[in-house]
Amino acid sequence: MTENTSMSKLNSYQNHKSKEEMKHQVITFALMIIFTLIAFYAVAVDMDKIFVIPLILILAIVQVGFQFYYFMHMKDKGHELVALLIFGGIWVAAVAILTFTTIIWW
Amino acid sequence: MSIASTQQKGFWAILWDYLTTVDHKKLGNMYIAAGAFFFVLGGIEALVIRIQLAKPENDFISAGLYNEMITMHGTTMIFFAAMPILIGFMNAIMPLQIGARDVAFPFLNSLGFWLFLFGGIMLNLSWFLGGAPDAGWTAYAPLSIQSPGHGMDFYILGLQLSGAGTLMGGINFLVTIVTMRAPGMTYMRMPLFTWTTFVASILILFAFPALTVGLFLLMFDRLFGSAFFDVALGGNSVIWQHLFWIFGHPEVYILILPAFGIFSEIIPVFSRKRLFGYTSMVFATFLIAFLGFMVWAHHMFAVGLGPTANAIFAVGTMAIAVPTGIKIFNWLATLWGGSITINSAMLWSLGFIPSFTIGGMTGVMLGATTADYQYHDTYFVIAHFHYVIVGGVVFGILAGLHYWWPKLFGKVLNEAMGKIAFWFFFIGFHLTFFIQHFLGLMGMPRRYWVFLEGQGLDTGNMISTVGAFLMGIGSLVFIINVVYTTVKGEKAGNDPWGDGRSLEWSISSPPKEYNFKQLPLVRGLDPYWIEKMEGNKKMTPAQPVNDIHMPNGSILPLIMTIGFFIASFGFIYQVDNNLWLIALFGGMAIALGSMLARSLVDDYGYHIHKEDLEKEVD
Ligand code: HEM
Ligand SMILES: [Cu+2]
């Protein structure tokens, strides 16, 4: 009897969790579409380059973040190592690109 | 399966077994055997170099052949001797240390081995096909672009093949360690050799792509008329140096970190103490790996990057001395107050500490930019990197061979011969390379075919050559030891040293093909030691005896590799004759065809049944 109630509690807890999860997914998905629309719009209305390029880059970075953390579940537990490796790789690439852009190409 | 293996098998059956095996222990042994073969080749090349430099203006070999010798010596030793032997250890030992039954991707593991082996064969075939590569193991452009003949093409494609294999190995080890640890084996309970395997694999994952890109660009310049590195056509030859060293510096840590891991296993066992500062050892390993990616330009101080860039890279370089120092002190503190047994494995470890420290010290000297303008491209550099590579990596390999030989092959190497080999090699090593510091400071440049008389370089070079031959004798004694042990050695028990701490010593030597009949329950750092201290003879099992799922062997990795091998020849020779395109496309067809076969045909492996397992003694 007690077992049963705790099971149903657990179930409702999980239901709640997956509902939350679903909500997050939908929100991020909507946001990503909006971001994309903004990017297209900014280019379409011929805004100043100085403004458009950083804007698009920032939107892109946020979208990558959404992709990693929400769609690929990096925000969930047990993904610390994956995060370490991804950020390690980003770091290595960034240092190399920084060097190339500062002392070789320009 | 294991019952069949106790029956006598014919030669062909055994050969087939090895060609198709996906067992990590067999592949580990194959890596070590092939690496040892290339080590002998590289050693012979080293002796030829030293004979040529024994006296002033010697004409033992021609200038062109000398260039081929130094290139092949460096390339062979780094890519086909040191690295494969270490990967062999990782393969054979790491899964045992974490209580796994195999690596995560056994098929990929076998593919990685064959790619490495055929890459090495490809490179060395150049000797018979019109001349070996001769632009140095660093293959600097524009020399490597202008080098006539096909030598450099063999270098490019040979390294490309074996590099792909190494990358696969690295990914495989990462996934294995992340997903296949036994119950209770948390990260902070992993033995140091497993940790260094893990970190070296991360380095492989991030560093090798830079080499792959560089080699592709070089290949396009040489074979398809592009001009990435050709200044006359708007290219930039310095980019090659960057790409090479973005790979090259992490590469030296890929070599030394596993060796550090080996010493961190041996020293506690033969001091009968747990490793001092385990946590700081793990931390230092990560720190070295992290810093290792930010220092590559210390190989390029003399290129003219400008004072700001040089200063930044110099600071990074010197910073690496800190985590390395942490490790040295931890080993010393482990020895401190321990009850120390000095056998061959321990001799190599004790010899390593001062030798490697000298190499680290000259490294910091070289890291001082302004001073490096004086040292660069002299024998001082040669002395430095041999102190770290031979005094660190080669000593580590030999220590590891003595330590794990019983686990790998079931027999203990002869101690007397082990010690003789050590002393010959150790004395020879210091004779060869210590004097080279001074030769370098006196201005003797590296990679020169001859030196002149009467410049004070004669005696030093002679001493160096004598030392090299002593190392040769030491290596010979070791090889004799291996043959002797194989024929006459006694069978080793599970824990031949009596003081084994990690899981590999809790199972038979050599282990059964499934390693652990029941996965062990890990209750702390040094799990086997903990059980022994509580009076248990065996690990506490974490599961009942059950059917064990095993992967099937496969010949496909070998066929795939042969396909790529043939295609590589096609790439090289299509510039001479279009008919070679047949080899290119044919080889690719074989390789891609076997990939297709692998993807379409399901292979579920097989089970070793509970009833058979219960019959086995352990
Ligand atoms: C028997 C022991 C060894 C001897 C006597 C030896 C000797 C030499 C000599 C004489 C050179 C040529 C220097 C020059 O004029 O450029 C050299 C270069 C080199 N050695 Fe060794 N070596 C030995 C072992 C090793 C090992 C075990 C490794 C690596 C694992 C290694 C890696 C290298 C590298 C990377 C170079 C540079 C090649 C180049 O710059 O083209 N050596 N060695
Ligand atoms: Cu370096």
Side-chain angles (χ1 to χ4, degrees), chain A residues 1-88:
Chain A
M1 184 56 203
T2 42
E3 180 125 290
N4 251 338
T5 38
S6 71
M7 273 308 279
S8 65
K9 253 186 199 160
L10 199 70
N11 269 339
S12 82
Y13 171 72
Q14 265 165 355
N15 276 342
H16 183 69
K17 279 275 285 195
S18 42
K19 243 190 210 148
E20 279 283 289
E21 180 77 28
M22 193 61 201
K23 204 169 81 190
H24 285 155
Q25 299 267 354
V26 172
I27 292 175
T28 35
F29 187 58
L31 278 175
M32 287 174 93
I33 292 179
I34 295 171
F35 283 6
T36 312
L37 290 178
I38 295 176
F40 272 101
Y41 181 76
V43 176
V45 297
D46 263 339
M47 278 190 238
D48 199 351
K49 257 194 191 159
I50 301 285
F51 177 70
V52 173
I53 292 175
L55 177 73
I56 292 183
L57 284 178
I58 290 170
L59 291 179
I61 290 170
V62 176
Q63 288 217 25
V64 170
F66 280 164
Q67 177 75 30
F68 278 162
Y69 279 88
Y70 285 90
F71 295 155
M72 293 167 75
H73 296 282
M74 242 165 78
K75 68 172 174 26
D76 299 347
K77 259 222 219 69
H79 290 66
E80 296 81 10
L81 199 87
V82 178
L84 177 82
L85 285 176
I86 287 182
F87 284 113

Side-chain angles (χ1 to χ4, degrees), chain B residues 86-128:
Chain B
L86 291 172
I87 293 183
F89 280 135
M90 297 179 186
N91 249 313
I93 301 296
M94 179 273 288
L96 306 181
Q97 287 195 324
I98 61 172
R101 292 211 167 104
D102 204 325
V103 289
F105 307 119
F107 182 90
L108 201 65
N109 202 10
S110 140
L111 181 59
F113 169 78
W114 292 111
L115 283 171
F116 139 70
L117 183 66
F118 277 81
I121 291 173
M122 172 121 217
L123 180 73
N124 278 284
L125 280 180
S126 64
W127 285 116
F128 310 105

Side-chain angles (χ1 to χ4, degrees), chain B residues 165-232:
Chain B
T166 308
L167 206 46
M168 286 173 200
I171 294 171
N172 204 348
F173 294 141
L174 283 177
V175 180
T176 306
I177 295 175
V178 173
T179 60
M180 294 177 67
R181 282 164 293 130
M185 178 61 82
T186 58
Y187 281 111
M188 288 316 274
R189 288 177 182 175
M190 295 194 316
L192 244 277
F193 181 69
T194 299
W195 263 121
T196 52
T197 299
F198 185 73
V199 176
S201 302
I202 297 179
L203 290 178
I204 289 177
L205 183 63
F206 292 155
F208 266 76
L211 178 70
T212 307
V213 170
L215 287 173
F216 266 125
L217 300 185
L218 195 59
M219 173 173 157
F220 273 82
D221 273 14
R222 281 188 63 91
L223 297 175
F224 300 111
S226 66
F228 293 107
F229 304 128
D230 187 346
V231 181

Side-chain angles (χ1 to χ4, degrees), chain B residues 39 42-50 53 66-67 69-79 81-83 135-139 255 377 379 382 385-386 389-390 393-394 397 425 429 432-433 436 444-449 464-465 467-469 471-472 475:
Chain B
F39 188 83
I44 293 170
E45 283 150 8
L47 289 178
V48 172
I49 298 171
R50 273 325 313 169
L53 294 178
Y66 181 84
N67 289 347
M69 282 294 164
I70 59 161
T71 305
M72 290 297 282
H73 167 69
T75 313
T76 305
M77 285 297 196
I78 300 265
F79 293 99
M83 222 171 30
W137 83 283
T138 52
L255 293 174
D377 265 348
Y379 258 75
I382 305 283
F385 72 67
H386 282 90
I389 293 185
V390 180
V393 184
V394 177
I397 286 172
F425 200 96
F429 161 67
T432 310
F433 296 113
Q436 290 184 1
M444 180 167 162
R446 68 187 284 207
R447 292 177 170 159
Y448 276 38
W449 170 50
S464 188
T465 300
F469 275 91
M471 286 203 269
S475 314

Side-chain angles (χ1 to χ4, degrees), chain A residues 78 81-82 84-92 95-100 102-105, chain B residues 174 178 187 198 202 205-206 236 238-239 242-243 246 286 290 293-294 296-297 305 309 313:
Chain A
L81 199 87
V82 178
L84 177 82
L85 285 176
I86 287 182
F87 284 113
I90 291 176
W91 169 248
V92 170
V95 172
I97 291 171
L98 183 71
T99 315
F100 274 54
T102 47
I103 60 178
I104 311 180
W105 288 332
Chain B
L174 283 177
V178 173
Y187 281 111
F198 185 73
I202 297 179
L205 183 63
F206 292 155
N236 184 342
V238 177
I239 290 178
H242 279 287
L243 287 173
I246 287 175
F286 270 98
F290 177 73
F293 273 104
M294 300 189 289
W296 76 84
L305 305 176
F313 282 104

Side-chain angles (χ1 to χ4, degrees), chain B residues 333-604:
Chain B
T334 308
L335 288 166
W336 191 314
S339 91
I340 296 175
T341 316
I342 297 193
N343 53 18
S344 311
M346 198 58 175
L347 267 182
W348 288 107
S349 311
L350 294 176
F352 149 81
I353 295 178
S355 310
F356 186 83
T357 307
I358 296 175
M361 204 186 63
T362 53
V364 177
M365 293 172 71
L366 292 165
T369 319
T370 38
D372 187 59
Y373 275 86
Q374 185 68 25
Y375 308 137
H376 183 64
D377 265 348
T378 69
Y379 258 75
F380 192 82
V381 176
I382 305 283
H384 154 69
F385 72 67
H386 282 90
Y387 260 81
V388 283
I389 293 185
V390 180
V393 184
V394 177
F395 281 24
I397 286 172
L398 285 158
L401 284 175
H402 277 278
Y403 178 61
W404 279 315
W405 200 269
K407 196 45 70 187
L408 299 178
F409 303 107
K411 291 179 176 180
V412 186
L413 282 174
N414 181 287
E415 269 302 315
M417 272 192 267
K419 286 181 178 154
I420 297 172
F422 169 78
W423 284 111
F424 267 109
F425 200 96
F426 185 75
I427 295 173
F429 161 67
H430 284 283
L431 270 186
T432 310
F433 296 113
F434 196 72
I435 195 84
Q436 290 184 1
H437 292 112
F438 301 99
L439 291 174
L441 292 179
M442 286 189 275
M444 180 167 162
R446 68 187 284 207
R447 292 177 170 159
Y448 276 38
W449 170 50
V450 286
F451 60 94
L452 297 181
E453 212 174 340
Q455 300 187 323
L457 303 174
D458 308 16
T459 328
N461 273 301
M462 193 62 210
I463 292 176
S464 188
T465 300
V466 171
F469 275 91
L470 291 185
M471 286 203 269
I473 294 173
S475 314
L476 262 179
V477 176
F478 182 81
I479 294 172
I480 294 170
N481 192 354
V482 168
V483 175
Y484 174 85
T485 306
T486 311
V487 180
K488 288 231 154 123
E490 295 166 33
K491 265 213 69 53
N494 290 7
D495 182 14
W497 309 118
D499 290 324
R501 310 177 77 85
S502 38
L503 284 179
E504 76 263 34
W505 303 112
S506 69
I507 52 177
S508 60
S509 318
K512 303 270 163 49
E513 80 259 48
Y514 47 81
N515 297 350
F516 297 89
K517 191 194 272 184
Q518 293 159 286
L519 291 185
L521 180 68
V522 177
R523 296 194 289 153
L525 181 62
D526 295 336
Y528 187 42
W529 181 261
I530 294 178
E531 300 291 336
K532 283 195 286 190
M533 286 300 107
E534 296 186 359
N536 303 335
K537 293 233 159 53
K538 280 193 285 182
M539 294 299 299
T540 316
Q543 51 167 204
V545 179
N546 238 327
D547 289 5
I548 294 177
H549 179 247
M550 300 289 289
N552 280 328
S554 169
I555 193 72
L556 283 178
L558 179 59
I559 298 180
M560 251 180 238
T561 306
I562 291 175
F564 285 123
F565 186 70
I566 296 172
S568 303
F569 279 96
F571 274 116
I572 293 178
Y573 286 113
Q574 48 81 27
V575 285
D576 301 338
N577 189 331
N578 271 338
L579 280 179
W580 280 95
L581 288 174
I582 300 173
L584 203 171
F585 289 112
M588 280 297 179
I590 296 174
L592 297 178
S594 31
M595 284 185 189
L596 196 68
R598 170 72 183 171
S599 325
L600 294 183
V601 182
D602 285 330
D603 180 353
Y604 298 111

Side-chain angles (χ1 to χ4, degrees), chain B residues 245 248-250 252-253 295-296 298-299 384:
Chain B
W245 289 118
H249 188 84
V252 307
Y253 287 108
V295 299
W296 76 84
H298 64 210
H299 295 276
H384 154 69

